[in-house]
């Protein structure tokens, strides 16, 4: 079932108030539960090593804004670089050990206060913490005697080099250290845990979705003919940052035929009267993402052809959302969307013949080359297997995914009448699986054509 909020948005403030991040924050106890659950899955003869994301340079000595590695954040909630989490099941002196930066007044004068080892224990629930500069001396002894190492080998070359050096050091110990015999991909265990969202995670994702809705509504108000795509992008970013969030990914602001480019990024084109504008943008709050797409007419009214294709996409999305419920396969939403999209294309004459043939031959993919959704969480395209045992994974409560069918008629497609060319439409919402159906986290963002036209009329001062 759909737990939608009211469609009318006129009561919303132009500048949304920032959410109370302290009230939304995931507690140290929850991070500790995650670590214990992962260690239980790995077994007492294992060691699990997770590195923080490195700082990445944009150019010269200017760094990109720092964003923590999602797996590291899921297990530690620790926001700094230069850190390694070691999980040592059954260790008498503490199973969760963090290596991190020490407090350093000289460095802090330039870069701000560090958390330090004491606060890593007191504030982040670690059993023990050591300076990252001492990891080469301490960690090999912790690894000794363990049978398996779970890690993300191959993700970060610098961490891989450290890991291999620790193994070499173990072998060189007096009498020969007992070196783990197996390296196991950490994602095999960890990513299945991340697929199921806790109450606290869902609360954060609802807040992230609410910010994204506010940003889309603000963008809709300023997106008028004659403005530039990047001006709309600027409004989106303003609202997200004023709400304490950052973009979950580089937004897509695509006017007219630019919407037919699936991952359009230029944002330099002028918005033209009579065109549609496709906005695909999401907010990230405390590392948790939202992802919304809407497509609306810049002049306030869908043309006949735009409205016809829009109604097909909307019907496909509603059919797909109805498939998001416990026990249904993940791929069921895509199958349902493809059926509705293809039938609509055949009825409108953009595809010849019947829908069964078009689906069997894949000819619909000329207008819908994508999938209908993806997992959502700490990453926009979140972790988790889509297939299990060769079959589409069955949905379970607390999984979250996007539902985003679309139709894209290339501007140079001469197999269709000119009036259809250059129309690109995508409608996307974030949907959580509940015990008895689903919850559309982004339902506050209108998507019915009449509701969108009413919002645009209000923007322009019309009744």
């Amino acid at each position: 079932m759909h737990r939608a909020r009211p469609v009318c948005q006129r009561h919303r403030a132009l500048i949304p108030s920032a959410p109370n991040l302290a009230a939304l924050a995931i507690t140290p106890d929850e991070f500790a539960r995650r670590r214990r659950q992962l260690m239980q899955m790995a077994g007492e003869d294992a060691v699990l090593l997770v590195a923080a994301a490195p700082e990445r340079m944009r150019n010269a000595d200017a760094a990109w804004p720092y964003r923590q590695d999602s797996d590291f954040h899921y297990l530690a909630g620790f926001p700094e670089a230069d850190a390694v989490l070691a999980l040592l099941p059954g260790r008498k002196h503490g199973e969760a050990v963090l290596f991190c930066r020490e407090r350093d007044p000289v460095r802090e004068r330039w870069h701000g206060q560090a958390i330090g080892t004491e606060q890593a224990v007191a504030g982040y629930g670690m059993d023990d913490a050591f300076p990252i500069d001492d990891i080469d001396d301490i960690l090999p002894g912790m690894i000794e005697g363990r049978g398996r190492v779970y890690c993300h080998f191959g993700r970060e070359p610098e961490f891989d080099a450290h890991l291999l050096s620790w193994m070499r050091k173990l072998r060189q110990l007096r009498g020969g250290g007992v070196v783990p015999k197996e390296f196991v991909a950490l994602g095999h265990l960890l990513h299945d845990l991340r697929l199921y969202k806790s109450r606290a995670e869902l609360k954060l994702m609802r807040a992230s979705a609410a910010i994204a809705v506010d940003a889309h509504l603000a963008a809709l108000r300023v997106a008028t003919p004659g403005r530039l795509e990047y001006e709309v992008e600027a409004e989106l970013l303003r609202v997200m940052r004023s709400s304490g969030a950052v973009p979950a990914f580089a937004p897509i602001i695509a006017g007219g035929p630019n919407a037919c480019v699936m991952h359009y990024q230029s944002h330099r084109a002028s918005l033209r009267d009579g065109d549609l504008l496709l906005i695909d943008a999401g907010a990230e709050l405390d590392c948790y993402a939202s992802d919304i797409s809407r497509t609306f007419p810049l002049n306030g009214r869908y043309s006949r052809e735009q409205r016809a294709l829009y109604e097909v996409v909307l019907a496909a999305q509603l059919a797909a959302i109805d498939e998001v419920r416990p026990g249904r396969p993940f791929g069921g939403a895509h199958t349902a969307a493809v059926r509705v999209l293809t039938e609509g294309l055949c009825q409108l004459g953009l595809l010849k013949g019947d829908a069964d043939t078009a689906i069997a031959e894949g000819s619909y993919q000329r207008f819908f080359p994508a999938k209908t959704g993806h997992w959502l969480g700490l990453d926009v395209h979140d972790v988790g297997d889509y297939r299990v045992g060769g079959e589409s994974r069955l949905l379970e409560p607390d999984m979250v995914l996007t539902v985003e069918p679309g139709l894209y008629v290339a501007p140079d497609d001469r197999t269709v009448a000119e009036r259809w060319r250059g129309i690109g439409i995508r409608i996307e919402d974030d949907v959580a699986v509940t015990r008895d159906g689903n919850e559309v986290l982004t339902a506050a963002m209108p998507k019915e054509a009449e509701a969108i036209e009413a919002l645009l009329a209000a923007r322009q001062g019309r009744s």
Side-chain angles (χ1 to χ4, degrees):
M1 67 181 176
H2 296 219
R3 300 176 183 174
R5 284 181 279 179
V7 167
C8 179
Q9 304 294 325
R10 296 186 187 184
H11 66 282
R12 284 184 172 269
L14 289 178
I15 302 178
S17 58
N20 185 343
L21 290 179
L24 290 170
I26 294 171
T27 65
D29 285 346
E30 180 164 333
F31 287 112
R33 285 196 300 272
R34 295 171 181 177
R35 295 192 292 267
R36 287 195 300 269
Q37 188 173 3
L38 184 61
M39 286 188 283
Q40 185 177 14
M41 295 167 68
E44 285 206 1
D45 63 339
V47 57
L48 303 99
L49 302 175
V50 192
E55 293 177 321
R56 303 188 189 277
M57 303 310 293
R58 183 181 185 274
N59 57 290
D61 61 349
W64 288 105
Y66 186 70
R67 204 283 192 180
Q68 187 57 275
D69 175 80
S70 293
D71 285 337
F72 188 89
H73 176 81
Y74 181 80
L75 293 170
F78 191 82
E80 293 182 355
D82 292 332
V84 173
L85 175 67
L87 300 180
L88 303 144
R91 181 173 177 262
K92 293 181 180 179
H93 301 293
E95 297 178 313
V97 179
L98 187 70
F99 294 86
C100 62
R101 294 168 178 160
E102 286 190 280
R103 297 291 307 278
D104 179 354
V106 175
R107 188 184 189 282
E108 289 178 2
R109 183 176 183 182
W110 290 93
H111 301 289
Q113 184 172 313
I115 293 169
T117 54
E118 291 185 8
Q119 187 61 23
V121 174
Y124 290 84
M126 299 296 159
D127 297 321
D128 210 346
F130 299 95
I132 189 68
D133 290 341
D134 295 340
I135 192 170
D136 292 339
D137 297 324
I138 297 173
L139 188 58
M142 293 179 170
I143 295 174
E144 185 180 10
R146 302 274 168 170
R148 296 183 309 283
V149 176
Y150 287 87
C151 63
H152 291 311
F153 197 79
R155 180 183 290 185
E156 293 290 345
E158 186 175 350
F159 178 74
D160 293 349
H162 279 294
L163 183 58
L164 293 174
S165 73
W166 299 329
M167 296 302 109
R168 284 194 299 270
K169 188 164 187 174
L170 264 180
R171 293 189 184 94
Q172 293 166 3
L173 289 176
R174 183 179 300 175
V178 180
V179 182
K181 295 180 174 60
E182 290 184 83
F183 286 84
V184 185
L186 179 61
H188 177 67
L189 298 181
L190 178 56
H191 293 170
D192 207 54
L193 289 180
R194 281 180 52 188
L195 186 56
Y196 300 89
K197 275 47 178 192
S198 68
R199 289 183 180 181
E201 288 178 298
L202 288 170
K203 193 174 181 180
L204 265 173
M205 293 184 73
R206 291 187 189 100
S208 173
I211 293 171
V213 168
D214 284 324
H216 274 259
L217 289 169
L220 179 146
R221 285 189 284 268
V222 304
T224 54
R227 302 198 79 162
L228 296 161
E229 291 167 336
Y230 61 71
E231 293 182 86
V232 180
E233 179 185 20
E235 184 67 3
L236 273 167
L237 300 181
R238 180 192 68 81
V239 173
M240 289 182 190
R241 294 301 294 126
S242 69
S243 302
V246 297
F249 54 94
I252 295 171
I253 316 293
N258 294 334
C260 298
V261 180
M262 302 300 293
H263 292 157
Y264 176 74
Q265 287 291 302
S266 176
H267 298 174
R268 296 181 179 180
S270 179
L271 304 180
R272 301 182 304 182
D273 191 0
D275 279 351
L276 298 176
L277 180 64
L278 188 157
I279 299 179
D280 186 342
E284 181 180 285
L285 186 67
D286 203 15
C287 291
Y288 283 85
S290 54
D291 190 1
I292 302 175
S293 295
R294 292 294 186 266
T295 311
F296 59 91
L298 288 160
N299 64 9
R301 293 287 179 183
Y302 292 96
S303 71
R304 181 179 178 182
E305 289 75 22
Q306 291 168 352
R307 179 68 174 264
L309 288 177
Y310 189 90
E311 294 293 354
V312 170
V313 175
L314 180 58
Q317 202 223 18
L318 294 175
I321 289 175
D322 199 48
E323 290 296 316
V324 179
R325 55 186 65 246
R328 300 289 179 89
F330 176 89
H334 181 67
T335 300
V338 166
R339 167 60 60 177
V340 175
L341 291 172
T342 307
E343 288 177 351
L345 290 168
C346 291
Q347 291 171 4
L348 294 173
L350 279 80
L351 285 176
K352 308 302 180 184
D354 63 276
D356 289 339
T357 301
I359 291 172
E361 294 177 349
S363 58
Y364 71 88
Q365 293 176 0
R366 183 155 53 95
F367 303 106
F368 182 46
K371 293 295 184 182
T372 303
H374 50 79
W375 301 126
L376 185 71
L378 280 168
D379 297 318
V380 177
H381 287 254
D382 208 24
V383 295
D385 292 330
Y386 291 98
R387 301 181 70 82
V388 177
E391 300 292 331
S392 183
R393 184 171 202 145
L394 297 183
L395 297 176
E396 299 178 59
D398 303 324
M399 294 177 174
V400 183
L401 58 149
T402 67
V403 179
E404 51 175 317
L407 287 174
Y408 313 92
V409 186
D412 58 352
D413 188 344
R414 299 190 177 277
T415 67
V416 301
E418 185 175 359
R419 66 182 185 275
W420 301 107
R421 298 175 197 164
I423 297 177
I425 297 167
R426 179 158 65 250
I427 306 172
E428 177 181 19
D429 282 296
D430 305 341
V431 186
V433 184
T434 63
R435 292 185 180 278
D436 57 356
N438 63 60
E439 176 189 357
V440 181
L441 305 180
T442 48
M445 185 64 204
K447 59 186 174 185
E448 293 79 8
E450 294 86 353
I452 289 175
E453 289 183 342
L455 278 173
L456 294 172
R459 173 194 71 182
Q460 297 167 4
R462 299 197 302 264
S463 59

